[in-house]
Amino acid sequence: MVKRLFLFVFLLFSSITLLAQNRTITGSLFDGEVKEKVPFAVVQLLKMDSTYVVGATSDEGGNFKVTAPTNGRFILKASYVGYKTIFQNVTIANDQDVAIGQLDFQVDTHMLKEVKVVASAPKVVVKADTFQYNASAFRVAEGSTIEALVKKLPGAEVSDDGTIKINGKEVKKILINGKEFMTGDTKTALKNLPTSIIDKIKAYDQKSDLSRVTGIDDGNESTVLDFGVKAGMNKGFFSNIDLGIGTKHRYSEKAMAAYFNDKFRMMGFLSANNVNDMGFGGGPRGGWGGIRQGLNATKMVGLNMNYDNGKTLQWDGSVRWNHSDGDLNTRVSIENFVASQGSYANRRSQEYTRENSWDGRFRLEWKPDSMWNIMFRPNIRLSKNDGQVVSKSAAYNTDPYESVDDPLSTTAIAQLEAQGVMVNNQYNTTISYGDNNTLGAMLQVNRRLSQNGRNVTLRVDGDYSDADSKTFSTQDLQYFQLRDALGNYETYRAYRYNLMPTKSWDYALQATYSEPLARKTYLQFSYQFKYGFSKSDRDTYDFSSLPSGTFGSLKPAYRSWDNYLGLLTNPLASYLDSNLSRYSEYRTYTHDMQVMLRMLHTKWKMNVGMKLQPQHSTYMQDYLGVHVDNKRSVVNWSPTFDFRYKFNEQSNLRINYNGTVSQPSMTQLLDIVDNTDPQNISKGNPNLKPAFTNKFRLFYNAFRQKHAQSVMTFADFSTTRNAIGNSVTYDGTTGARTVQPVNVNGNWDTNAAVMFNTSIDSAGVWNVNTFTRGSFNRYASYLQQNATSAIEKNITKSLTLGERLSASYRTSWLELALDGSVDYTHSKNNLQSLNNLSTWQFSYGGSLIFSLPWNMSLSTDLHQNSRRGYNDAALNTNELLWNAQLSQSLLAGNALTLSLQFYDILHQQSNLSRTINAVNRTDTEYNSINSYIMFRATYRLNLFGGKNAPKPKDRGFGRPNSNMPPPPPGGGAMGGGRPPMGGPGGF
């Protein structure tokens, strides 16, 4: 009986064991040099003839698991950007599982010298609240900088002015391998770092210096993009020189060099271009963007350094010189929301600008022992700028485009005058100069009092600013609805010269303390005193009494004051106008007191707190013959709530709330009418109340290893009680607007988006990405037809819906992407219902990156962009945009790449932007050179140290893996190298 029972149990366990065998192959991947795990590497199971069977990616810990469909002999292939590919023989017998164990990647330094890489890594991986993008999964044209890469990231939005948002939040800082890079400047890295040195990109919210040291969450987070440099490039020297010259006098030159070792990193940059720093392709995939606002020529020299001894001392420093020359020609069409009467305006202007600036920043962090942390951040900025503007504008009482095509032409003005449509017409010129110098510093000392979270921090901040500005302006205005005693149209002119020096300084003293109440529960206190002072002393010289056209013979030029002042008949001092001159001093004394309860648990974190801010202000002003000396004391308060829940390592939910009180400024409270510009009159309002704003944000993200699926969604909502808006009184006979700040209710907005990215197959050959977004804004203001009519509440609503969809197919030598987008905007005004407007912008097309024999590659993109619904029929366009690039790599390791780039081959791209707010809708069209040809030469020099120092060798061409050597006997790993392909741009 016992023998039978034993036999039964043995057979049962044998059956269970056999059933549990699924021919599963497991193992782990590590960096063979630094012994770190390699997550998200591509693992493929191949037949002995290299036919693909199944694939997967390694997880966060570098572990992988693939299942063979049958018994037999297979090749296990593991690959990751920057490493030599691993090939391992595997034999499956009797449906048994196989444990490979640890496989070590070796750095492929030869590949780091090349411009073409292969990767089927997942595009996006999510861990907690960090989004990690694998650079190898996004192909861009040869020679591209990381700006082109960022534009392709799922969830990224790039605005016309270059502002970048990730998952709805603006990027404030760039990091390189977790170290600060050109703090305060995001564009230097984006427009100068080549894509070929980047391995991965992380997007996350970085806490402030105070939060990171003390653990006190002060709410001052900054969204950052952290660019990781490829493995093997962290020791040694590498450089990139990129020279380009094109048709229509276009040029683009840039150079960078970097030296890295275990403790010290230094990167230097030089650049000069007049192509508006636009990368190849001209904008984000499948959508509108990359609008070139004018013709801009820029020059830059920058140096960034980082040091970290790994124990007690870190420091970061950067210095940057920038020069820019701008040529901006705009055509603007405006509809003003002024009660039931129409009010329209058009403006055409030509503006030239130039600027020189120096910016220096430094950060020192010293940890003398485990209990102390001392941080010091000084900064300095010096800048000078010049500007000159000539503009012509006109106002109308009905939409001029209903009658004419060019409302500012002489013929059109005459026609509209005869129809009674013209309200005014004016000509303006301005010359300006500014000299601004700022200096600041922060010192922070933290002392841990125990190991359980008790600590105290002292912090001192200080800033000083000294600025000087000069402005000479002329304004000649003609009214068409007013006549003088002789029956002629009334006119107005203002010729003025302003000199305005300003000075300001402030300092702040802060102390924080954290007390543990219980396990993973902390109570935190913070107090800060801040003093601020600012002073301006403007002298205004008024020449308006001179005859009309006194300065008409002169053309504006930089700092050409003497040309204008030389035409004066009297000494300059005799024209000083004490009423128009203005002197003011502003002092603030602020106390910030905050208490925060912080709870940290394995699955969730919560912060809840309250801030009180008593503030005392004094304001003194002499202006328009009135002396003002006001004092004000207020108490602001701000509740905060932050809750995070971690479902698992790759799924996260976050809910934020904060309420803030905004006090009206002292100038808004002054009961003074400023009519120095008769077309834009301002009035103060001593009865203004403080505004209270509630802001809510919900954010959720998740990632599924299978098919590398990532999803992200967010929703923002904001509403303001007693918002400080404007009451606008419009004078229909002159086109003048009188604006007075008032409290309004009914202002709210919401914004939401959903992003989904997935690989259709396990190898990542087919990928689909969708980004759906929507927003709604409700603006409230008060409008008055004239000084005697009733005040009406004006509500402007704006709804925007957008969808961006893309799909791609990629192999080692080809990537084909199809994409499309549609954006719908509906604006509605309760007082101007006849002018409610619905506009559409849609785009569809595709891009191709193709590797050719002999180290050549072809990149091209073709998109149809269309607009519908604009008042000006000339803006309802269809634009077929086609760009192309042909590249040839030469020399050992493809160190030299020659490229021929064709921009806007069909000459159809235009530049238009639209803005909507509570009082008007504005359409602006900019000048630009969009269509040209650029010849570019890129040279790379890489000298890496360590045992993986590169050994120069040439690379063949042809279909990848066509000559793949057989696996070594016994299934040992061997360096297979990365197969050639068209990929991220040349380094």
Side-chain angles (χ1 to χ4, degrees):
M1 181 66 181
V2 176
K3 292 182 178 179
R4 290 180 180 179
L5 181 60
F6 178 79
L7 179 60
F8 173 77
V9 173
F10 175 78
L11 292 175
L12 177 61
F13 276 94
S14 298
S15 300
I16 293 174
T17 303
L18 288 173
L19 290 173
Q21 304 301 318
N22 297 315
R23 301 179 298 276
T24 300
I25 304 169
T26 58
S28 58
L29 298 172
F30 279 74
D31 184 305
E33 180 177 1
V34 298
K35 303 303 180 184
E36 293 180 351
K37 58 191 177 184
V38 180
F40 317 119
V42 177
V43 180
Q44 296 176 338
L45 194 64
L46 311 175
K47 292 182 180 180
M48 296 306 293
D49 62 358
S50 298
T51 304
Y52 174 80
V53 177
V54 69
T57 57
S58 57
D59 62 18
E60 279 285 336
N63 303 308
F64 66 86
K65 180 173 64 176
V66 293
T67 301
T70 63
N71 295 325
R73 298 178 63 203
F74 298 91
I75 301 172
L76 184 74
K77 176 184 176 183
S79 59
Y80 196 80
V81 178
Y83 295 107
K84 295 179 180 180
T85 302
I86 297 174
F87 296 100
Q88 177 94 4
N89 278 359
V90 179
T91 300
I92 303 291
N94 301 321
D95 294 331
Q96 295 292 308
D97 294 342
V98 176
I100 297 294
Q102 178 175 318
L103 299 179
D104 291 337
F105 277 117
Q106 300 301 320
V107 174
D108 188 351
T109 51
H110 165 58
M111 190 206 70
L112 295 176
K113 294 173 71 67
E114 298 177 351
V115 299
K116 300 180 179 180
V117 297
V118 160
S120 298
K123 289 190 173 183
V124 188
V125 176
V126 181
K127 182 180 180 182
D129 54 0
T130 298
F131 282 71
Q132 178 173 299
Y133 305 90
N134 290 291
S136 62
F138 302 93
R139 293 185 185 167
V140 292
E142 301 276 7
S144 296
T145 63
I146 58 176
E147 182 179 30
L149 189 61
V150 170
K151 289 179 178 180
K152 287 196 170 188
L153 301 182
E157 301 173 87
V158 183
S159 64
D160 298 344
D161 62 358
T163 300
I164 295 176
K165 290 184 177 181
I166 297 290
N167 302 328
K169 302 181 73 174
E170 183 178 349
V171 174
K172 297 292 187 179
K173 189 184 293 186
I174 298 295
L175 307 180
I176 304 295
N177 283 354
K179 304 295 184 181
E180 294 191 1
F181 181 87
M182 295 290 183
T183 303
D185 171 36
T186 60
K187 293 184 179 180
T188 296
L190 294 179
K191 297 182 181 299
N192 290 277
L193 282 176
T195 57
S196 60
I197 72 171
I198 301 302
D199 177 27
K200 61 178 68 72
I201 307 169
K202 294 180 180 180
Y204 54 90
D205 291 331
Q206 185 186 61
K207 294 182 179 180
S208 67
D209 289 337
L210 184 64
S211 294
R212 286 187 284 115
V213 172
T214 66
I216 298 176
D217 193 343
D218 57 7
N220 296 322
E221 295 179 333
S222 299
T223 300
V224 302
L225 283 179
D226 187 351
F227 293 87
V229 176
K230 288 178 179 176
M233 300 188 75
N234 290 313
K235 293 182 181 179
F237 173 84
F238 58 91
S239 66
N240 188 84
I241 300 174
D242 189 342
L243 305 177
I245 187 168
T247 59
K248 301 182 181 178
H249 307 290
R250 302 298 91 190
Y251 63 87
S252 176
E253 284 92 31
K254 62 186 64 175
M256 65 85 62
Y259 172 76
F260 286 6
N261 64 29
D262 291 336
K263 297 181 179 180
F264 179 71
R265 299 175 182 178
M266 180 170 61
M267 303 182 75
F269 299 89
L270 297 169
S271 71
N273 76 85
N274 65 353
V275 293
N276 291 29
D277 270 327
M278 299 293 288
F280 177 74
R285 66 194 187 287
W288 291 82
I291 290 181
R292 309 188 184 201
Q293 299 183 4
L295 305 177
N296 299 297
T298 62
K299 299 179 180 66
M300 185 276 293
V301 178
L303 178 67
N304 189 87
M305 294 178 289
N306 307 98
Y307 174 83
D308 185 353
N309 68 4
K311 296 180 180 179
T312 61
L313 182 64
Q314 297 179 30
W315 59 262
D316 310 292
S318 66
V319 61
R320 187 178 73 255
W321 171 78
N322 290 86
H323 174 83
S324 64
D325 290 282
D327 173 357
L328 179 63
N329 185 281
T330 58
R331 187 164 68 100
V332 182
S333 176
I334 303 172
E335 179 190 359
N336 296 301
F337 306 136
V338 286
S340 56
Q341 178 177 340
S343 172
Y344 300 83
N346 277 69
R347 182 176 69 251
R348 189 176 296 148
S349 67
Q350 176 64 58
E351 178 180 5
Y352 296 101
T353 58
R354 67 182 182 186
E355 180 179 14
N356 272 299
S357 66
W358 284 92
D359 187 289
R361 298 173 189 252
F362 187 78
R363 182 186 75 96
L364 173 69
E365 185 171 356
W366 180 40
K367 302 175 185 177
D369 55 42
S370 61
M371 307 300 287
W372 286 92
N373 182 288
I374 301 172
M375 187 179 299
F376 179 57
R377 282 185 180 270
N379 64 85
I380 185 171
R381 178 175 172 81
L382 312 173
S383 67
K384 293 184 179 181
N385 58 80
D386 288 279
Q388 48 176 303
V389 185
V390 176
S391 67
K392 181 179 182 181
S393 60
Y396 320 88
N397 52 35
T398 62
D399 188 350
Y401 288 107
E402 295 178 355
S403 303
V404 298
D405 293 328
D406 183 3
L408 289 175
S409 67
T410 303
T411 303
I413 290 177
Q415 179 181 337
L416 295 171
E417 176 189 356
Q419 296 173 355
V421 174
M422 292 298 302
V423 175
N424 66 52
N425 182 27
Q426 62 178 309
Y427 180 80
N428 299 76
T429 67
T430 303
I431 304 170
S432 61
Y433 167 75
D435 185 354
N436 302 281
N437 305 299
T438 61
L439 179 66
M442 181 276 288
L443 176 64
Q444 176 179 287
V445 180
N446 173 259
R447 176 69 164 87
R448 294 176 59 190
L449 303 177
S450 68
Q451 298 295 330
N452 60 357
R454 183 180 293 113
N455 64 75
V456 63
T457 304
L458 300 178
R459 174 169 169 153
V460 180
D461 292 84
D463 294 284
Y464 174 80
S465 175
D466 185 1
D468 188 17
S469 68
K470 297 180 181 180
T471 305
F472 193 102
S473 62
T474 68
Q475 178 186 21
D476 288 282
L477 179 63
Q478 182 180 30
Y479 297 106
F480 290 88
Q481 306 290 329
L482 294 176
R483 295 182 182 271
D484 59 20
L486 300 178
N488 300 317
Y489 289 134
E490 285 197 5
T491 60
Y492 170 83
R493 60 182 175 273
Y495 305 149
R496 289 169 186 163
Y497 180 44
N498 291 306
L499 304 177
M500 188 171 72
T502 62
K503 283 183 170 59
S504 65
W505 58 84
D506 61 72
Y507 65 85
L509 306 174
Q510 182 175 358
T512 62
Y513 176 76
S514 178
E515 175 66 26
L517 299 181
R519 186 172 179 267
K520 298 183 179 180
T521 303
Y522 306 89
L523 189 62
Q524 299 163 338
F525 303 91
S526 175
Y527 170 78
Q528 181 190 69
F529 170 75
K530 185 175 182 179
Y531 170 78
F533 173 82
S534 63
K535 178 181 70 174
S536 67
D537 187 5
R538 186 185 72 194
D539 288 335
T540 299
Y541 300 86
D542 188 17
F543 316 120
S544 302
S545 60
L546 298 177
S548 177
T550 297
F551 305 108
S553 60
L554 300 177
K555 292 185 178 180
Y558 292 139
R559 306 184 197 181
S560 57
W561 330 107
D562 292 341
N563 295 341
Y564 289 83
L565 301 179
L567 298 178
L568 300 178
T569 56
N570 298 314
L572 176 63
S574 65
Y575 294 96
L576 179 65
D577 191 315
S578 58
N579 285 333
L580 295 178
S581 298
R582 182 174 183 170
Y583 178 85
S584 64
E585 289 185 2
Y586 187 37
R587 290 179 171 85
T588 59
Y589 307 83
T590 306
H591 304 266
D592 279 337
M593 294 170 285
Q594 183 178 24
V595 59
M596 179 80 69
L597 177 66
R598 189 162 65 102
M599 304 179 71
L600 305 176
H601 287 259
T602 304
K603 282 286 192 179
W604 58 271
K605 299 178 182 179
M606 184 182 71
N607 295 336
V608 59
M610 172 69 71
K611 177 189 286 187
L612 290 179
Q613 188 186 69
Q615 184 181 73
H616 178 71
S617 305
T618 64
Y619 184 76
M620 189 273 285
Q621 174 182 277
D622 289 307
Y623 184 47
L624 298 175
V626 178
H627 177 75
V628 174
D629 194 349
N630 284 354
K631 298 180 180 180
R632 181 181 62 170
S633 295
V634 298
V635 177
N636 301 323
W637 60 285
S638 174
T640 62
F641 175 78
D642 184 15
F643 178 78
R644 308 183 195 196
Y645 186 83
K646 183 173 68 173
F647 297 96
N648 52 54
E649 288 297 324
Q650 296 169 331
S651 182
N652 183 65
L653 173 69
R654 184 174 183 181
I655 301 173
N656 296 93
Y657 164 77
N658 67 64
T660 56
V661 174
S662 301
Q663 299 290 339
S665 69
M666 294 292 278
T667 54
Q668 289 176 323
L669 292 169
L670 296 179
D671 192 12
I672 293 178
V673 177
D674 185 351
N675 58 2
T676 54
D677 180 353
Q679 295 305 109
N680 296 283
I681 302 170
S682 64
K683 296 174 61 176
N685 183 355
N687 298 316
L688 281 177
K689 301 176 182 179
F692 188 88
T693 300
N694 297 286
K695 292 184 178 181
F696 302 85
R697 179 176 174 87
L698 182 146
F699 181 88
Y700 172 78
N701 60 264
F703 177 76
R704 293 177 58 195
Q705 189 77 21
K706 186 177 181 180
H707 294 308
Q709 293 178 344
S710 59
V711 62
M712 179 280 303
T713 183
F714 70 83
D716 298 319
F717 176 78
S718 174
T719 180
T720 304
R721 184 175 72 249
N722 290 326
I724 300 175
N726 289 316
S727 175
V728 181
T729 302
Y730 178 71
D731 188 337
T733 59
T734 64
R737 291 151 49 91
T738 301
V739 180
Q740 182 181 35
V742 294
N743 290 116
V744 294
N745 286 305
N747 281 6
W748 62 272
D749 61 81
T750 185
N751 179 36
V754 177
M755 183 272 291
F756 178 71
N757 188 86
T758 184
S759 297
I760 299 178
D761 61 315
S762 59
V765 175
W766 295 89
N767 290 274
V768 175
N769 174 262
T770 178
F771 189 72
T772 306
R773 60 198 182 281
S775 65
F776 180 83
N777 298 277
R778 186 182 190 270
Y779 309 101
S781 63
Y782 289 101
L783 299 176
Q784 190 176 16
Q785 188 65 49
N786 52 60
T788 60
S789 63
I791 296 178
E792 300 179 74
K793 191 171 185 178
N794 173 56
I795 303 295
T796 301
K797 301 176 181 178
S798 176
L799 171 68
T800 300
L801 300 174
E803 169 64 30
R804 190 172 70 196
L805 177 66
S806 64
S808 64
Y809 169 79
R810 59 182 292 138
T811 67
S812 58
W813 53 275
L814 170 70
E815 178 171 290
L816 175 64
L818 300 177
D819 51 66
S821 71
V822 59
D823 291 279
Y824 167 77
T825 300
H826 176 70
S827 58
K828 182 179 181 180
N829 184 268
N830 66 316
L831 300 180
Q832 297 276 337
S833 58
L834 294 178
N835 293 319
N836 295 341
L837 206 60
S838 295
T839 60
W840 295 82
Q841 293 188 159
F842 47 92
S843 171
Y844 51 90
S847 61
L848 174 71
I849 299 180
F850 184 64
S851 291
L852 302 170
W854 305 290
N855 290 332
M856 297 180 68
S857 68
L858 173 67
S859 307
T860 186
D861 63 83
L862 181 68
H863 287 88
Q864 174 76 37
N865 294 344
S866 301
R867 300 185 185 94
R868 296 292 185 272
Y870 289 85
N871 284 345
D872 185 351
L875 302 180
N876 296 317
T877 60
N878 295 309
E879 302 173 5
L880 184 61
L881 306 184
W882 181 22
N883 305 294
Q885 173 178 298
L886 183 64
S887 300
Q888 170 72 66
S889 296
L890 304 168
L891 304 183
N894 297 323
L896 175 65
T897 300
L898 304 178
S899 302
L900 194 61
Q901 300 173 332
F902 301 85
Y903 292 85
D904 189 17
I905 297 172
L906 304 179
H907 305 269
Q908 294 197 16
Q909 185 174 5
S910 62
N911 294 287
L912 175 71
S913 69
R914 160 166 288 193
T915 59
I916 301 173
N917 56 38
V919 295
N920 61 44
R921 178 172 56 233
T922 304
D923 294 328
T924 306
E925 190 172 13
Y926 304 91
N927 65 316
S928 63
I929 294 179
N930 298 321
S931 180
Y932 57 92
I933 301 173
M934 178 78 73
F935 174 75
R936 190 181 295 274
T938 305
Y939 181 76
R940 300 163 298 279
L941 175 63
N942 300 338
L943 298 173
F944 300 115
K947 65 180 182 180
N948 288 313
K951 299 175 180 59
K953 56 180 178 178
D954 291 322
R955 182 185 66 178
F957 64 86
R959 190 173 180 83
N961 291 330
S962 59
N963 296 308
M964 186 182 74
M974 101 181 151
R978 303 291 291 189
M981 62 162 279
F987 161 53

